[in-house]
Amino acid sequence: MNEFTHYNIPLRLLPAYRRERLVVRTDEPAALASALEAEDPERIVGAQIVALDTDSEPLNAWAPGLPLELILRDPVAEFPLLYRHTNLLDNHPARVIVPVAPGFGKAVKVAVSLDFAVRLEVEQPEPALIEEMAAVLEFYLHQPTVAQPIEYFHGSLRGFFHDEPASLWVLQDDDPQYLRYVTDEGVERLSRRLVDPNANIAPDADLGEWIAQVLAVDEECQGCAFLNGCGGYFKWPRRDYDCAGVKRLFGHLRDAAAELRRDLDVGSA
Ligand code: SF4
Protein backbone atom coordinates (compact mmCIF):
# COMPACT_ATOMS: atom_id res chain seq x y z
CA MET A 1 0.00 0.00 0.00
CA ASN A 2 1.20 3.55 -0.59
CA GLU A 3 -0.08 7.12 -0.52
CA PHE A 4 -1.75 6.59 -3.89
CA THR A 5 -3.72 3.54 -2.80
CA HIS A 6 -7.44 4.04 -2.96
CA TYR A 7 -10.45 1.97 -2.01
CA ASN A 8 -13.34 1.05 -4.25
CA ILE A 9 -16.32 0.95 -1.88
CA PRO A 10 -20.11 0.73 -2.14
CA LEU A 11 -21.75 4.03 -1.19
CA ARG A 12 -23.36 2.57 1.94
CA LEU A 13 -19.89 1.99 3.46
CA LEU A 14 -18.86 5.65 3.15
CA PRO A 15 -19.13 6.27 6.94
CA ALA A 16 -16.60 3.48 7.56
CA TYR A 17 -13.96 4.97 5.23
CA ARG A 18 -13.39 8.46 6.56
CA ARG A 19 -9.71 8.94 5.80
CA GLU A 20 -8.96 6.88 2.71
CA ARG A 21 -8.89 7.95 -0.90
CA LEU A 22 -12.01 6.53 -2.52
CA VAL A 23 -13.74 5.39 -5.64
CA VAL A 24 -17.40 5.18 -4.64
CA ARG A 25 -19.81 2.96 -6.53
CA THR A 26 -23.56 3.18 -6.47
CA ASP A 27 -26.77 2.42 -8.32
CA GLU A 28 -28.25 5.72 -7.07
CA PRO A 29 -26.43 8.70 -8.62
CA ALA A 30 -28.62 11.24 -6.78
CA ALA A 31 -27.74 9.67 -3.43
CA LEU A 32 -24.07 9.73 -4.37
CA ALA A 33 -24.09 13.44 -5.12
CA SER A 34 -25.78 14.33 -1.83
CA ALA A 35 -23.74 11.88 0.29
CA LEU A 36 -20.45 13.26 -0.99
CA GLU A 37 -21.42 16.90 -0.62
CA ALA A 38 -19.77 17.17 2.79
CA GLU A 39 -16.69 15.13 1.85
CA ASP A 40 -13.22 16.45 1.15
CA PRO A 41 -13.15 16.40 -2.67
CA GLU A 42 -9.44 15.52 -2.57
CA ARG A 43 -10.34 12.13 -1.10
CA ILE A 44 -12.76 11.20 -3.85
CA VAL A 45 -10.79 10.05 -6.88
CA GLY A 46 -13.67 8.65 -8.88
CA ALA A 47 -17.18 7.27 -8.91
CA GLN A 48 -18.83 4.30 -10.56
CA ILE A 49 -22.46 3.95 -11.60
CA VAL A 50 -23.35 0.29 -11.49
CA ALA A 51 -26.95 0.47 -12.77
CA LEU A 52 -27.43 2.19 -16.11
CA ASP A 53 -31.21 2.31 -15.91
CA THR A 54 -30.88 5.13 -13.36
CA ASP A 55 -30.92 8.88 -13.91
CA SER A 56 -27.36 10.24 -13.83
CA GLU A 57 -28.45 13.87 -14.30
CA PRO A 58 -27.63 14.77 -10.64
CA LEU A 59 -23.99 14.01 -11.46
CA ASN A 60 -23.76 16.09 -14.63
CA ALA A 61 -22.59 19.33 -13.10
CA TRP A 62 -21.47 17.79 -9.80
CA ALA A 63 -17.71 17.70 -9.05
CA PRO A 64 -16.62 18.69 -12.58
CA GLY A 65 -13.57 16.80 -13.74
CA LEU A 66 -14.16 13.83 -11.44
CA PRO A 67 -13.62 10.61 -13.44
CA LEU A 68 -16.79 8.54 -13.75
CA GLU A 69 -17.24 4.96 -14.86
CA LEU A 70 -20.44 3.39 -16.14
CA ILE A 71 -20.51 -0.33 -15.52
CA LEU A 72 -22.35 -2.56 -17.95
CA ARG A 73 -23.32 -5.88 -16.46
CA ASP A 74 -25.06 -7.31 -19.54
CA PRO A 75 -23.50 -5.58 -22.57
CA VAL A 76 -26.03 -6.83 -25.11
CA ALA A 77 -29.13 -5.89 -23.12
CA GLU A 78 -27.80 -2.67 -21.60
CA PHE A 79 -25.84 -0.87 -24.30
CA PRO A 80 -28.89 1.21 -25.46
CA LEU A 81 -28.92 2.72 -21.94
CA LEU A 82 -25.61 4.45 -22.66
CA TYR A 83 -27.41 7.09 -24.73
CA ARG A 84 -29.11 8.52 -21.65
CA HIS A 85 -25.76 9.22 -19.94
CA THR A 86 -23.92 11.17 -22.65
CA ASN A 87 -24.44 14.51 -20.84
CA LEU A 88 -21.94 13.31 -18.25
CA LEU A 89 -19.24 13.88 -20.87
CA ASP A 90 -19.83 17.65 -20.67
CA ASN A 91 -18.15 17.83 -17.26
CA HIS A 92 -16.42 14.51 -16.63
CA PRO A 93 -13.96 12.12 -18.17
CA ALA A 94 -16.26 9.11 -18.44
CA ARG A 95 -15.44 5.53 -19.24
CA VAL A 96 -17.65 2.51 -19.88
CA ILE A 97 -16.66 -0.83 -18.38
CA VAL A 98 -17.69 -3.57 -20.81
CA PRO A 99 -17.51 -7.21 -19.74
CA VAL A 100 -16.14 -9.49 -22.44
CA ALA A 101 -19.26 -11.63 -22.91
CA PRO A 102 -20.93 -12.89 -26.12
CA GLY A 103 -21.98 -9.92 -28.27
CA PHE A 104 -19.99 -7.34 -26.29
CA GLY A 105 -18.53 -5.77 -29.46
CA LYS A 106 -21.75 -3.89 -30.18
CA ALA A 107 -21.58 -2.21 -26.76
CA VAL A 108 -17.97 -1.18 -27.40
CA LYS A 109 -18.85 0.36 -30.77
CA VAL A 110 -21.80 2.29 -29.35
CA ALA A 111 -19.78 3.52 -26.36
CA VAL A 112 -16.93 4.74 -28.57
CA SER A 113 -19.32 6.36 -31.05
CA LEU A 114 -20.85 8.31 -28.14
CA ASP A 115 -17.33 9.44 -27.17
CA PHE A 116 -16.92 7.34 -24.05
CA ALA A 117 -13.59 5.71 -23.31
CA VAL A 118 -13.85 1.96 -22.76
CA ARG A 119 -12.21 -0.63 -20.58
CA LEU A 120 -12.83 -4.28 -21.32
CA GLU A 121 -13.41 -6.42 -18.26
CA VAL A 122 -11.86 -9.66 -19.36
CA GLU A 123 -11.53 -12.92 -17.47
CA GLN A 124 -10.30 -16.06 -19.26
CA PRO A 125 -11.92 -15.82 -22.71
CA GLU A 126 -12.76 -19.01 -24.58
CA PRO A 127 -12.07 -19.31 -28.34
CA ALA A 128 -15.39 -17.81 -29.50
CA LEU A 129 -14.81 -14.75 -27.32
CA ILE A 130 -11.23 -14.47 -28.55
CA GLU A 131 -12.65 -14.09 -32.06
CA GLU A 132 -14.95 -11.30 -30.84
CA MET A 133 -12.03 -9.63 -29.09
CA ALA A 134 -9.97 -9.89 -32.28
CA ALA A 135 -12.78 -8.13 -34.17
CA VAL A 136 -12.91 -5.35 -31.56
CA LEU A 137 -9.12 -5.03 -31.70
CA GLU A 138 -9.30 -4.73 -35.48
CA PHE A 139 -11.95 -2.02 -35.05
CA TYR A 140 -9.79 -0.17 -32.50
CA LEU A 141 -6.65 -0.36 -34.64
CA HIS A 142 -8.06 0.43 -38.05
CA GLN A 143 -11.33 2.34 -37.70
CA PRO A 144 -10.40 6.01 -38.18
CA THR A 145 -13.44 7.24 -36.24
CA VAL A 146 -12.22 5.67 -32.99
CA ALA A 147 -11.03 8.65 -30.96
CA GLN A 148 -11.25 7.13 -27.48
CA PRO A 149 -9.00 4.53 -25.85
CA ILE A 150 -10.19 0.95 -25.52
CA GLU A 151 -8.27 -0.65 -22.64
CA TYR A 152 -6.39 -2.89 -22.31
CA PHE A 153 -5.60 -2.66 -26.01
CA HIS A 154 -4.63 1.01 -25.85
CA GLY A 155 -2.17 0.72 -22.95
CA SER A 156 -0.60 -2.46 -24.32
CA LEU A 157 -0.15 -0.86 -27.74
CA ARG A 158 1.59 2.13 -26.14
CA GLY A 159 3.76 -0.24 -24.14
CA PHE A 160 4.86 -2.12 -27.25
CA PHE A 161 5.37 1.14 -29.13
CA HIS A 162 7.67 2.58 -26.45
CA ASP A 163 9.25 -0.78 -25.69
CA GLU A 164 8.12 -0.43 -22.08
CA PRO A 165 5.60 -3.20 -21.38
CA ALA A 166 2.57 -1.85 -19.57
CA SER A 167 1.35 -4.00 -16.66
CA LEU A 168 -2.00 -5.51 -17.49
CA TRP A 169 -2.83 -5.52 -13.76
CA VAL A 170 -2.46 -1.74 -13.76
CA LEU A 171 -4.24 -1.17 -17.07
CA GLN A 172 -7.16 -3.23 -15.81
CA ASP A 173 -7.36 -1.43 -12.45
CA ASP A 174 -6.42 -4.62 -10.66
CA ASP A 175 -3.11 -3.63 -9.09
CA PRO A 176 -3.63 -3.66 -5.31
CA GLN A 177 -0.64 -1.39 -4.80
CA TYR A 178 -3.03 1.30 -5.94
CA LEU A 179 -6.49 -0.14 -5.44
CA ARG A 180 -8.31 -2.18 -2.82
CA TYR A 181 -11.75 -3.54 -3.60
CA VAL A 182 -14.36 -3.67 -0.86
CA THR A 183 -17.20 -6.05 -1.71
CA ASP A 184 -20.87 -5.16 -1.24
CA GLU A 185 -20.71 -7.26 1.92
CA GLY A 186 -17.90 -5.06 3.28
CA VAL A 187 -15.07 -7.57 2.80
CA GLU A 188 -11.81 -5.96 1.76
CA ARG A 189 -10.00 -7.68 -1.09
CA LEU A 190 -6.77 -6.93 -2.87
CA SER A 191 -8.42 -6.15 -6.18
CA ARG A 192 -11.60 -6.89 -8.06
CA ARG A 193 -9.95 -9.70 -10.00
CA LEU A 194 -8.76 -11.29 -6.77
CA VAL A 195 -12.11 -11.11 -5.00
CA ASP A 196 -12.11 -14.92 -5.14
CA PRO A 197 -11.31 -15.94 -1.54
CA ASN A 198 -9.24 -18.78 -2.96
CA ALA A 199 -6.72 -16.17 -4.02
CA ASN A 200 -5.57 -16.53 -0.43
CA ILE A 201 -3.37 -13.45 -0.41
CA ALA A 202 -2.68 -11.48 2.75
CA PRO A 203 -4.02 -7.89 2.63
CA ASP A 204 -0.49 -6.53 2.88
CA ALA A 205 0.95 -8.91 0.32
CA ASP A 206 3.03 -7.66 -2.56
CA LEU A 207 1.25 -8.48 -5.81
CA GLY A 208 4.52 -8.72 -7.69
CA GLU A 209 5.71 -11.44 -5.34
CA TRP A 210 2.37 -13.25 -5.51
CA ILE A 211 2.45 -13.18 -9.30
CA ALA A 212 6.00 -14.48 -9.29
CA GLN A 213 5.19 -17.26 -6.83
CA VAL A 214 1.72 -18.33 -7.96
CA LEU A 215 1.06 -17.31 -11.54
CA ALA A 216 4.30 -16.70 -13.37
CA VAL A 217 5.76 -20.03 -12.27
CA ASP A 218 3.41 -21.56 -14.80
CA GLU A 219 5.45 -23.23 -17.51
CA GLU A 220 3.52 -21.46 -20.27
CA CYS A 221 4.18 -18.07 -18.61
CA GLN A 222 7.87 -18.80 -18.26
CA GLY A 223 8.19 -19.26 -22.00
CA CYS A 224 5.79 -16.47 -22.92
CA ALA A 225 6.99 -13.45 -24.89
CA PHE A 226 4.38 -11.29 -23.16
CA LEU A 227 5.12 -12.11 -19.52
CA ASN A 228 6.57 -8.66 -18.73
CA GLY A 229 3.32 -6.88 -19.52
CA CYS A 230 0.81 -9.63 -18.81
CA GLY A 231 2.30 -10.80 -15.51
CA GLY A 232 0.32 -14.04 -15.58
CA TYR A 233 -2.98 -12.09 -15.67
CA PHE A 234 -4.76 -14.73 -17.72
CA LYS A 235 -3.69 -17.62 -15.50
CA TRP A 236 -6.18 -16.56 -12.84
CA PRO A 237 -8.39 -18.13 -11.59
CA ARG A 238 -7.76 -21.31 -13.65
CA ARG A 239 -4.07 -22.03 -13.85
CA ASP A 240 -4.66 -24.51 -16.74
CA TYR A 241 -6.19 -21.84 -19.00
CA ASP A 242 -4.79 -22.14 -22.53
CA CYS A 243 -3.37 -18.73 -23.48
CA ALA A 244 -3.03 -19.33 -27.22
CA GLY A 245 -5.84 -16.87 -28.00
CA VAL A 246 -4.78 -14.05 -25.72
CA LYS A 247 -1.20 -14.40 -26.94
CA ARG A 248 -2.49 -14.02 -30.48
CA LEU A 249 -4.10 -10.72 -29.47
CA PHE A 250 -0.88 -9.54 -27.79
CA GLY A 251 0.91 -10.49 -31.02
CA HIS A 252 -1.47 -8.31 -33.08
CA LEU A 253 -0.83 -5.40 -30.74
CA ARG A 254 2.93 -5.89 -30.91
CA ASP A 255 2.81 -6.04 -34.73
CA ALA A 256 0.59 -2.96 -34.91
CA ALA A 257 3.04 -1.02 -32.70
CA ALA A 258 5.96 -2.08 -34.91
CA GLU A 259 4.03 -1.01 -38.01
CA LEU A 260 3.22 2.34 -36.43
CA ARG A 261 6.88 2.88 -35.61
CA ARG A 262 7.90 2.02 -39.17
CA ASP A 263 5.32 4.44 -40.56
CA LEU A 264 6.60 7.21 -38.28
CA ASP A 265 10.21 6.46 -39.22
CA VAL A 266 9.35 6.64 -42.93
CA GLY A 267 7.40 9.85 -42.39
CA SER A 268 10.27 11.52 -40.57
CA ALA A 269 13.02 10.29 -42.95
S1 SF4 B 1 -0.37 -14.54 -21.86
FE1 SF4 B 1 -0.74 -16.36 -20.60
S2 SF4 B 1 1.19 -17.47 -20.71
FE2 SF4 B 1 1.63 -15.37 -21.32
S3 SF4 B 1 2.24 -14.33 -19.42
FE3 SF4 B 1 0.05 -14.01 -19.73
S4 SF4 B 1 -0.93 -15.61 -18.53
FE4 SF4 B 1 1.19 -16.24 -18.83
Side-chain angles (χ1 to χ4, degrees):
M1 247 190 310
N2 59 46
E3 61 184 304
F4 301 110
T5 301
H6 52 273
Y7 288 73
N8 182 317
I9 65 166
L11 178 58
R12 71 174 187 82
L13 291 180
L14 190 61
Y17 287 81
R18 282 277 163 232
R19 295 146 68 109
E20 294 80 2
R21 290 159 58 83
L22 300 174
V23 171
V24 184
R25 60 180 193 272
T26 185
D27 56 5
E28 294 179 71
L32 180 71
S34 60
L36 295 183
E37 230 165 49
E39 294 294 327
D40 171 6
E42 295 292 313
R43 281 197 327 119
I44 311 300
V45 297
Q48 293 182 325
I49 302 169
V50 299
L52 268 60
D53 55 353
T54 53
D55 178 12
S56 62
E57 197 279 331
L59 301 183
N60 287 355
W62 166 81
L66 186 78
L68 300 179
E69 290 187 320
L70 304 168
I71 299 184
L72 289 179
R73 286 181 283 210
D74 179 342
V76 174
E78 293 180 333
F79 78 82
L81 295 171
L82 290 173
Y83 289 92
R84 65 162 75 175
H85 300 290
T86 53
N87 285 347
L88 291 174
L89 290 161
D90 292 344
N91 291 306
H92 301 275
R95 182 162 82 161
V96 179
I97 309 298
V98 182
V100 173
F104 78 97
K106 177 84 177 168
V108 172
K109 287 180 181 172
V110 168
V112 168
S113 73
L114 294 175
D115 230 16
F116 288 109
V118 167
R119 176 167 69 76
L120 303 179
E121 193 150 276
V122 59
E123 303 293 336
Q124 294 180 303
E126 296 306 325
L129 277 177
I130 291 287
E131 294 313 316
E132 288 196 51
M133 289 178 76
V136 169
L137 176 55
E138 183 69 19
F139 168 75
Y140 163 66
L141 291 174
H142 300 299
Q143 176 59 248
T145 56
V146 177
Q148 293 295 336
I150 300 175
E151 297 291 7
Y152 65 94
F153 296 155
H154 183 75
S156 290
L157 182 71
R158 284 170 58 105
F160 286 123
F161 182 83
H162 294 293
D163 222 4
E164 289 174 4
S167 164
L168 203 50
W169 294 86
V170 173
L171 293 175
Q172 293 291 89
D173 279 352
D174 276 317
D175 186 342
Q177 273 192 329
Y178 303 102
L179 179 65
R180 298 296 166 96
Y181 187 86
V182 182
T183 67
D184 291 346
E185 295 73 34
V187 181
E188 192 178 315
R189 297 291 185 196
L190 279 175
S191 80
R192 179 200 53 81
R193 189 171 182 80
L194 302 175
V195 159
D196 180 350
N198 294 325
N200 199 21
I201 316 175
D204 58 351
D206 180 296
L207 180 73
E209 279 174 23
W210 183 78
I211 289 171
Q213 288 164 8
V214 178
L215 299 184
V217 287
D218 181 279
E219 204 176 319
E220 192 178 5
C221 289
Q222 288 303 308
C224 180
F226 307 110
L227 177 61
N228 280 347
C230 174
Y233 191 85
F234 291 106
K235 288 295 182 187
W236 185 262
R238 284 190 293 112
R239 251 59 64 80
D240 63 352
Y241 174 72
D242 179 354
C243 283
V246 290
K247 286 196 276 194
R248 198 180 106 210
L249 300 177
F250 277 130
H252 284 324
L253 286 159
R254 181 186 55 193
D255 294 349
E259 195 180 323
L260 195 55
R261 258 204 311 255
R262 274 197 303 275
D263 289 349
L264 288 174
D265 287 346
V266 169
S268 62

